[in-house]
Amino acid sequence: MEFNNLLLEVKDGLAVLTINRPDKLNALNNEVMREIKAAFEHIRDNDEIKAVVVTGAGDKAFVAGADITEIHTLDQSSGAHFAQQGHDIFTLIEKLPKPVIAAVNGFALGGGCELAMACHVRLANENARFGQPEVGLGITPGYGGTQRLPRLVGKGRALEMILSGNMVRANEAHAMGLVNHVYPADELMDKAEELARGIMSKGPAAVAMCIRLVNEGLDMPLDDAKAHEAKLFGEICATGDMKEGTKAFMEKRKPNFTGK
Ligand code: COA
């Protein structure tokens, strides 16, 4: 697929999606957001693609936020629409039934931090900086920052980041659970690919179901979430992948999953 502001490369089932607007530190304007939506719909619907790594072009930024020049023009009605559209797109990413790994290679600010948080796993290089600087612009986060950040790092740390607008370095983001691993810059993409390919070797139906269970269960009371897990465990036991994965273990061989 061709985009004006994205690069989408697929190699052996792994998609690498690069936000490609480096002269503006990969800031998310309307066109970039429309293209991200189209790219993730394509990734979701294309059976050849099993996993995706999201990163930013250049060596300075993952994504430095929503485009502030476009935010400046918003009013009450268009502002609510702007945020809702962002939610719809980032929820598409969060609910994608294939693993989405953010390889954060620089600034991940505002919408950039929110994009990384919508991904299933976050890896970062040592130059990465995370922040929700919106209050400095007189606005609130609008693409999920006030909701996903406290769910990832806890209310107190999230409120400190959101109210101060201060950036945190990669190692601090790691310590608070915002990123899973920090790597030297020249290793980040290899590590992201290694993780993605490891997940790709597992049962695809089970992987998709795990993403669904974690997402849906977190919004439920614990007893309901456990009942949901039991129900979906029953569903996974009805798949060929379950028979194949367990049989392969018993036969001491690698499983041959079909995703069915
Ligand atoms: N929206 C629009 N343009 C942005 C942008 C954003 N969120 N972030 C960076 N840019 C643009 C800059 O305006 C600049 O464009 P120009 O060269 O035409 O002037 C270009 O990207 C490079 O950024 P610059 O500010 O010169 O780089 P820097 O290294 O001095 O500073 C940052 C880097 C990330 C600290 C700084 O760009 C910044 O604070 N960006 C905004 C972050 C933010 O508030 N994000 C949340 C938005 S809701």
Side-chain angles (χ1 to χ4, degrees), residues 23-25 27 60 64-68 71 107 109-110 133-134 137 139 167:
D23 55 322
K24 298 292 179 189
L25 303 187
K60 206 168 161 186
D67 192 306
I68 297 166
I71 291 176
F107 291 113
L109 303 176
E134 287 88 345
L137 299 165
I139 57 173
M167 292 186 214

Side-chain angles (χ1 to χ4, degrees), residues 43-170:
I43 291 165
R44 180 194 59 197
D45 297 339
N46 185 328
D47 290 342
E48 304 295 308
I49 300 175
K50 310 289 185 200
V52 54
V53 174
V54 183
T55 194
D59 55 10
K60 206 168 161 186
F62 174 70
V63 167
D67 192 306
I68 297 166
T69 62
E70 288 187 355
I71 291 176
H72 179 69
T73 65
L74 298 173
D75 60 19
Q76 181 164 355
S77 165
S78 58
H81 181 68
F82 167 92
Q84 189 54 55
Q85 272 192 330
H87 280 304
D88 293 346
I89 296 165
F90 285 7
T91 301
L92 167 71
I93 298 172
E94 186 171 51
K95 292 188 174 175
L96 205 82
K98 304 175 183 183
V100 186
I101 297 169
V104 180
N105 57 325
F107 291 113
L109 303 176
C113 188
E114 291 166 315
L115 171 61
M117 290 192 292
C119 298
H120 301 137
V121 177
R122 281 151 296 289
L123 309 180
N125 73 19
E126 292 160 339
N127 308 320
R129 300 276 184 282
F130 293 81
Q132 296 290 160
E134 287 88 345
V135 288
L137 299 165
I139 57 173
T140 57
Y143 287 170
T146 62
Q147 301 309 310
R148 289 195 181 94
L149 189 58
R151 283 166 170 78
L152 276 170
V153 305
K155 183 177 172 184
R157 280 182 288 238
L159 274 170
E160 181 180 343
M161 280 180 71
I162 293 166
L163 300 182
S164 70
N166 290 342
M167 292 186 214
V168 298
R169 290 172 180 272

